[in-house]
């Protein structure tokens, strides 16, 4: 069943606006999942349709999703993630032991395991002549964010796993020349959603306030 909808028309009401802001605030990078069956095909299609509605520079849609939810795929990809987890721990120096206690993925337990892949460049120039790679990455990230928010609206968790050697993962996925993996996405029901980002809850790092994200040039009004 397709989740295609017609073009939006009219304004959103106050409750719809508030619901969107609640979903944004409640979105979390999830690592703890409730083991269970794969998602219904109609639900997964709905989520991926939301991802595919993301904005992209030059309407190039530089994203491809791969469904890798079988046990065989999970077992094949876990060693690639584990190798990078250990390399990351070593690179962190004095925080190595602290890092190794953190759960960084839910590959075995999540209902669905997806890969987000940057396909071979299609030569789009519109909007990306001076920053071709940056704009492709930014556009693909918008698709993941759409998927993240849609998943949260359906009370599902999503975690973006970025700990892997991209060349090793590309070989495992047998990607065509010029394609590169951007992440493994763990998706599915969770026992609960973190009250705050997990890294903040465990004291690894704190979210910085909006005021620190706004830069003023010298001479600008405060």
């Amino acid at each position: 069943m397709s989740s295609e909808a017609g073009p939006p028309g009219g304004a959103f009401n106050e409750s719809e606006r508030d619901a969107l802001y609640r979903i944004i605030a409640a979105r979390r990078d999830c690592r703890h999942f409730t083991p269970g069956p794969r998602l219904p095909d109609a639900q997964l299609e709905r989520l991926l349709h939301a991802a595919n509605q993301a904005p992209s520079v030059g309407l190039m849609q530089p994203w491809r999703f791969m469904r890798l939810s079988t046990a065989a795929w999970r077992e094949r990809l876990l060693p690639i993630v584990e190798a990078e987890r250990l390399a990351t721990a070593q690179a962190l120096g004095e925080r190595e032991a602290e890092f190794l206690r953190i759960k960084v993925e839910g590959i075995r337990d999540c209902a669905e395991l997806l890969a987000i892949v940057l396909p071979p460049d299609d030569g789009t120039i519109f909007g990306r002549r001076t920053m071709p790679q940056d704009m492709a990455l930014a556009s693909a990230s918008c698709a993941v964010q759409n998927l993240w928010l849609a998943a949260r609206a359906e009370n599902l968790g999503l975690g973006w796993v970025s700990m892997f050697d991209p060349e090793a993962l590309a070989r495992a996925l047998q990607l065509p020349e010029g394609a590169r993996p951007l992440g493994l996405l763990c998706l599915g029901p969770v026992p609960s959603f973190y009250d705050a980002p997990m890294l903040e809850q465990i004291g690894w790092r704190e979210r910085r306030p909006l005021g620190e994200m706004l830069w003023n040039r010298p001479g600008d009004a405060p």
Side-chain angles (χ1 to χ4, degrees):
M1 180 179 68
S2 174
S3 58
E4 294 282 350
F12 294 106
N13 61 40
E14 184 176 353
S15 64
E16 291 170 327
R17 180 201 66 195
D18 291 345
L20 175 60
Y21 283 120
R22 283 183 57 219
I23 291 166
I24 291 172
R27 184 211 60 82
R28 297 288 181 263
D29 187 3
C30 296
R31 290 92 183 273
H32 299 84
F33 292 86
T34 302
R38 294 165 70 171
L39 298 181
D41 288 344
Q43 185 179 36
L44 183 60
E45 181 183 355
R46 199 162 57 237
L47 294 167
L48 291 175
H49 179 66
N52 198 50
Q53 289 178 310
S56 62
V57 175
L59 201 57
M60 64 185 296
Q61 295 179 274
W63 52 73
R64 302 293 184 270
F65 291 96
M66 299 178 68
R67 192 179 190 184
L68 307 167
S69 302
T70 64
W73 268 118
R74 295 173 199 252
E75 294 304 318
R76 182 175 182 182
L77 299 178
L78 268 167
I80 298 174
V81 173
E82 178 63 10
E84 179 55 30
R85 186 180 79 93
L86 297 176
T88 298
Q90 186 174 22
L92 285 168
E94 62 183 19
R95 300 194 79 178
E96 177 177 0
E98 181 186 2
F99 170 79
L100 287 174
R101 291 192 292 269
I102 300 173
K103 184 172 177 60
V104 297
E105 48 80 17
I107 290 175
R108 281 197 174 95
D109 295 333
C110 61
E112 298 286 350
L113 180 63
L114 308 173
I116 171 71
V117 175
L118 200 68
D121 197 290
D122 68 356
T124 296
I125 295 176
F126 192 130
R128 63 189 287 260
R129 187 185 67 82
T130 59
M131 297 184 290
Q133 185 75 355
D134 304 273
M135 292 300 97
L137 290 169
S139 298
S141 296
C142 288
V144 176
Q145 179 73 335
N146 270 21
L147 179 62
W148 229 323
L149 295 176
R152 186 62 185 89
E154 301 221 12
N155 296 308
L156 298 173
L158 187 146
W160 186 338
V161 180
S162 58
M163 291 187 187
F164 52 80
D165 178 321
E167 293 185 2
L169 184 55
R171 289 193 297 271
L173 299 179
Q174 299 181 326
L175 298 183
E177 184 176 355
R180 53 181 292 204
L182 299 181
L184 294 171
L185 305 177
C186 300
L187 171 67
V190 295
S192 62
F193 286 92
Y194 314 132
D195 292 333
M198 196 188 84
L199 294 184
E200 189 171 2
Q201 284 192 161
I202 65 176
W204 180 266
R205 196 168 192 171
E206 291 189 5
R207 184 189 294 276
R208 295 161 66 184
L210 175 60
E212 294 184 18
M213 303 296 111
L214 302 176
W215 281 0
N216 289 323
R217 296 172 301 170
D220 282 352

